């Protein structure tokens, strides 16, 4: 009796995710189907692959020994499937985007995906990078575009470039076009929550002068922070490409910081062994969109 690729996928994802339920959800299968595939694989290989661990499962010694070969087999199978005609790529994907890119790039990305991969079904999730990275780690996302990710075990990181950022102020405030920490620390500032890339960026910039902002309010949405700035309510650090339209209308002043901000490094991230045909197609579309918009600087 020979094993099948489907059985090996059931083993791989159950091992990675620690439960039949999570593996079934990731594979878009019923849990009894995954359980049956694991039982058939154990019968084919004549070994026991899992044992109970609390409410989940953990690989046995035999299962741990099999894991590297299973990983190599699945990755090779995915590489073969990626050679298919782009128009024939099917399936669904849940992909997360840092909000700064989503505001500027998502309209173009949707058009690109529809044109290049008409059979691909995508769900787009927009949040701050810290939340997206957590969702990706919990396997609630298949792919995420992250700014300054922490980097977690079992996750691939593909460098895409540097997101240029700047201070943005209401034009009515008459802030100088170049400013340092001492020039801005007394002004009201709005940032994403602690642990976010934006919050760390702001705190680190003021720390270069040994300063803290006098008033730092928290808002979870980058788009809303942009609206607060253009409405005259706050100062913020935002992606340059995102605020350029508001600068052009005269509502916002872009302030070049001295010293420079630690600009956000942007990565695509997906689980090890998770470069499926839909993920690969979406990643190619994202890279195409970024290049067309000239959104990122090349990482040096």
């Amino acid at each position: 009796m020979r094993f099948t690729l489907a059985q090996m996928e059931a083993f791989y994802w159950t091992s990675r995710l620690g439960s039949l339920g999570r593996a079934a959800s990731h594979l878009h299968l019923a849990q009894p189907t995954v359980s049956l595939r694991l039982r058939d694989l154990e019968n084919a290989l004549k070994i026991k692959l899992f044992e109970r661990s609390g409410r989940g499962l953990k690989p046995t010694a035999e299962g741990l020994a099999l894991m590297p070969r299973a990983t190599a087999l699945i990755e090779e199978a995915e590489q073969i499937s990626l050679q298919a005609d782009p128009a024939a790529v099917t399936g669904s994907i849940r992909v997360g985007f840092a909000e700064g890119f989503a505001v500027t790039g998502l309209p173009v990305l949707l058009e690109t995906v529809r044109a290049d991969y008409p059979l691909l079904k995508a769900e787009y999730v927009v949040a701050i990078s810290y939340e997206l990275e957590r969702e990706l780690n919990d396997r609630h996302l298949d792919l995420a575009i992250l700014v300054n990710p922490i980097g977690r075990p079992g996750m691939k990181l593909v460098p895409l470039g540097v997101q240029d950022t700047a201070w943005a102020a209401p034009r009515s405030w008459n802030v100088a076009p170049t400013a340092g920490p001492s020039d801005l620390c007394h002004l009201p500032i709005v940032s994403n929550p602690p642990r976010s890339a934006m919050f760390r960026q702001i705190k680190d910039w003021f720390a270069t002068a040994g300063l803290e902002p006098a008033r730092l309010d928290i808002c979870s949405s980058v788009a809303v922070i942009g609206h607060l700035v253009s409405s005259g309510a706050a100062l913020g650090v935002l992606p340059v490409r995102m605020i350029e339209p508001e600068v052009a209308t005269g509502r916002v002043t872009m302030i070049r910081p001295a010293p420079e901000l630690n600009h956000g490094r942007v990565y695509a991230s997906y689980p090890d062994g998770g470069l499926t045909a839909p993920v690969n197609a979406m990643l190619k579309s994202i890279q195409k969109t970024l290049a067309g918009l000239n959104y990122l600087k090349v990482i040096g």
Side-chain angles (χ1 to χ4, degrees):
M1 181 178 178
R2 294 184 176 181
F3 68 84
T4 66
L5 181 61
Q7 292 165 1
M8 199 62 71
E9 285 180 328
F11 162 72
Y12 175 84
W13 287 109
T14 302
S15 180
R16 285 292 311 277
L17 302 180
S19 79
L20 287 173
R22 288 185 177 182
S25 177
H26 179 83
L27 294 169
H28 305 289
L29 296 172
Q31 186 169 322
T33 301
V34 176
S35 181
L36 178 61
R37 290 180 181 180
L38 290 176
R39 186 182 67 191
D40 289 344
L41 181 60
E42 288 182 327
N43 290 337
L45 300 179
K46 296 181 173 53
I47 58 175
K48 183 175 176 59
L49 296 172
F50 292 100
E51 57 189 9
R52 287 286 172 187
S53 177
R55 295 184 178 180
L57 297 172
K58 68 177 183 179
T60 61
E62 293 92 342
L64 288 172
L66 178 62
M67 193 60 178
R69 292 184 175 181
T71 301
L73 179 63
I74 290 169
E75 288 182 347
E76 183 62 27
E78 290 295 348
Q79 289 301 316
I80 293 172
S81 70
L82 294 179
Q83 296 176 9
D85 177 8
V89 174
T90 62
S92 60
I93 181 173
R94 198 162 190 258
V95 54
F97 293 97
E99 195 174 359
F101 167 75
V103 170
T104 304
L106 203 50
V108 178
L109 177 64
L110 263 63
E111 293 180 358
T112 301
V113 172
R114 290 168 186 161
D116 293 349
Y117 304 99
L119 300 180
L120 182 62
K121 297 180 180 179
E123 178 181 349
Y124 301 97
V125 178
V126 179
I128 62 176
S129 290
Y130 178 79
E131 294 174 354
L132 293 174
E133 195 167 7
R134 183 180 59 201
E135 289 290 288
L136 187 67
N137 187 69
D138 292 341
R139 303 307 194 274
H140 298 151
L141 296 173
D142 302 299
L143 173 70
I145 305 303
L146 308 171
V147 180
N148 291 340
I150 296 171
R152 296 173 184 257
M155 293 292 160
K156 297 283 189 184
L157 286 174
V158 180
L160 298 177
V162 175
Q163 178 177 264
D164 194 14
T165 51
W167 284 101
R171 179 63 63 87
S172 59
W173 287 13
N174 295 318
V175 179
T178 301
S182 61
D183 301 310
L184 303 183
C185 66
H186 63 286
L187 297 172
I189 297 167
V190 179
S191 168
N192 281 161
R195 295 187 176 182
S196 70
M198 182 189 293
F199 186 88
R200 299 195 306 269
Q201 195 177 26
I202 290 172
K203 296 284 281 188
D204 289 348
W205 188 73
F206 281 106
T208 62
L211 296 172
E212 288 272 352
R215 179 63 184 261
L216 183 61
D217 292 314
I218 300 299
C219 176
S220 62
S221 169
V222 176
V224 171
I225 291 174
H227 177 66
L228 291 171
V229 172
S230 64
S231 298
L235 182 76
V237 169
L238 295 166
V240 167
R241 293 304 305 274
M242 177 181 164
I243 59 177
E244 282 176 340
E246 294 294 330
V247 172
T249 63
R251 294 169 61 88
V252 169
T253 296
M254 188 187 306
I255 306 166
R256 286 298 177 181
E260 280 287 308
L261 291 158
N262 292 323
H263 298 298
R265 294 191 169 224
V266 181
Y267 294 82
S269 184
Y270 56 87
D272 289 341
L275 188 61
T276 62
V279 168
N280 186 66
M282 181 59 67
L283 181 54
K284 287 183 176 179
S285 295
I286 291 167
Q287 291 171 322
K288 183 176 179 179
T289 298
L290 289 169
L293 292 172
N294 195 26
Y295 187 84
L296 299 176
K297 297 178 178 178
V298 177
I299 292 179

